[in-house]
Amino acid sequence: VACTDCHAAQPHTDERLNTHTESVACQTCHIPFMATKDPTKITWDWSTSGQDLGDDHFTYLKIKGNFQYENNVEPTYIWFNGNLDYRYILGDTIDPSKPTMINLPSGNIKDATAKIFPFKVHKAKQPYDAGFNTLLAPITSGPNGYWTTFDWDNAFKLTQEKLGFPYSGKFDFAETWMYWPTTHLVQPAENALQCADCHGEGSRLDWKALGYPG
């Protein structure tokens, strides 16, 4: 469901704002921050799991590793036409020297159907097969699962046994990114972004990354 399924595409009395709606999504101005009440998870590091560090949910769980939660998070802004250029499918090869995109929104400055849209970028460190260069999906639950034994190698062997997913016997951890479109927490009009938030000093937009000269 999109904002414009219920609301006019150009709802403002100020024509300068209506002109923006051709290339800027409603959410971009009307959701200035994410997690304004409850914090949202920004990072998740599976490589630190299995240690007896004390579970507190927001920073560490033995079964899952370290997390980072934040409040009042500024979104990341990229072009988005409602589709994906890519989504990771189990078995796809990765380059562990750089972040693997779990999903990659589609769109760019030359795409007439795309608009500048706010996203949460969730960054993680996940296990991958160092022999095949594929992300690994461990068996976590059950009497022999990782959450019982805290043995990664055994958890990957279980996946091969139960699901037929190949495992070379060598594993490491790689960075992954996942893009979450931001559509909740719409603010009252008086809290919407103002001109200077994007066009003034310290703009929250990375203009060059969006394809503009600056």
Side-chain angles (χ1 to χ4, degrees):
V1 176
C3 300
T4 51
D5 288 346
C6 299
H7 299 279
Q10 296 186 330
H12 308 98
T13 55
D14 187 331
E15 277 307 305
R16 294 171 299 176
L17 296 180
N18 285 334
T19 299
H20 278 67
T21 63
E22 295 177 9
S23 55
V24 180
C26 305
Q27 293 93 325
T28 298
C29 293
H30 289 279
I31 308 176
F33 295 99
M34 302 177 289
T36 55
K37 181 180 178 182
D38 297 318
T40 188
K41 188 184 292 180
I42 300 297
T43 67
W44 181 346
D45 184 354
W46 277 95
S47 70
T48 61
S49 64
Q51 304 177 63
D52 292 313
L53 301 178
D55 292 350
D56 67 0
H57 182 74
F58 284 107
T59 59
Y60 186 80
L61 283 173
K62 182 177 181 179
I63 64 171
K64 295 184 178 181
N66 281 98
F67 315 115
Q68 180 183 0
Y69 281 80
E70 292 183 8
N71 281 100
N72 297 312
V73 180
E74 282 191 15
T76 295
Y77 301 96
I78 61 173
W79 292 101
F80 184 45
N81 62 20
N83 298 303
L84 295 176
D85 273 342
Y86 174 79
R87 60 190 177 101
Y88 186 85
I89 303 296
L90 198 60
D92 289 349
T93 57
I94 69 168
D95 179 353
S97 68
K98 60 184 181 182
T100 295
M101 300 298 140
I102 298 299
N103 63 338
L104 190 61
S106 179
N108 57 63
I109 194 172
K110 297 180 180 179
D111 183 345
T113 66
K115 295 185 179 185
I116 297 171
F117 200 97
F119 283 84
K120 180 178 94 166
V121 182
H122 180 281
K123 299 181 180 181
K125 189 177 284 188
Q126 296 183 227
Y128 79 96
D129 191 305
F132 297 133
N133 281 343
T134 55
L135 291 181
L136 287 164
I139 298 294
T140 52
S141 61
N144 295 312
Y146 178 73
W147 290 341
T148 301
T149 66
F150 296 104
D151 183 336
W152 282 119
D153 184 66
N154 181 68
F156 303 139
K157 289 176 179 175
L158 275 179
T159 303
Q160 180 171 259
E161 175 187 324
K162 292 177 179 292
L163 304 180
F165 189 71
Y167 171 51
S168 70
K170 297 182 293 182
F171 72 91
D172 205 339
F173 292 85
E175 185 175 354
T176 62
W177 290 16
M178 184 187 294
Y179 285 85
W180 295 44
T182 300
T183 58
H184 292 285
L185 295 173
V186 172
Q187 295 292 308
E190 60 267 23
N191 293 345
L193 295 184
Q194 302 300 304
C195 302
D197 289 317
C198 298
H199 298 286
E201 294 270 342
S203 169
R204 58 169 61 202
L205 296 187
D206 186 337
W207 290 98
K208 288 188 177 181
L210 288 167
Y212 293 95

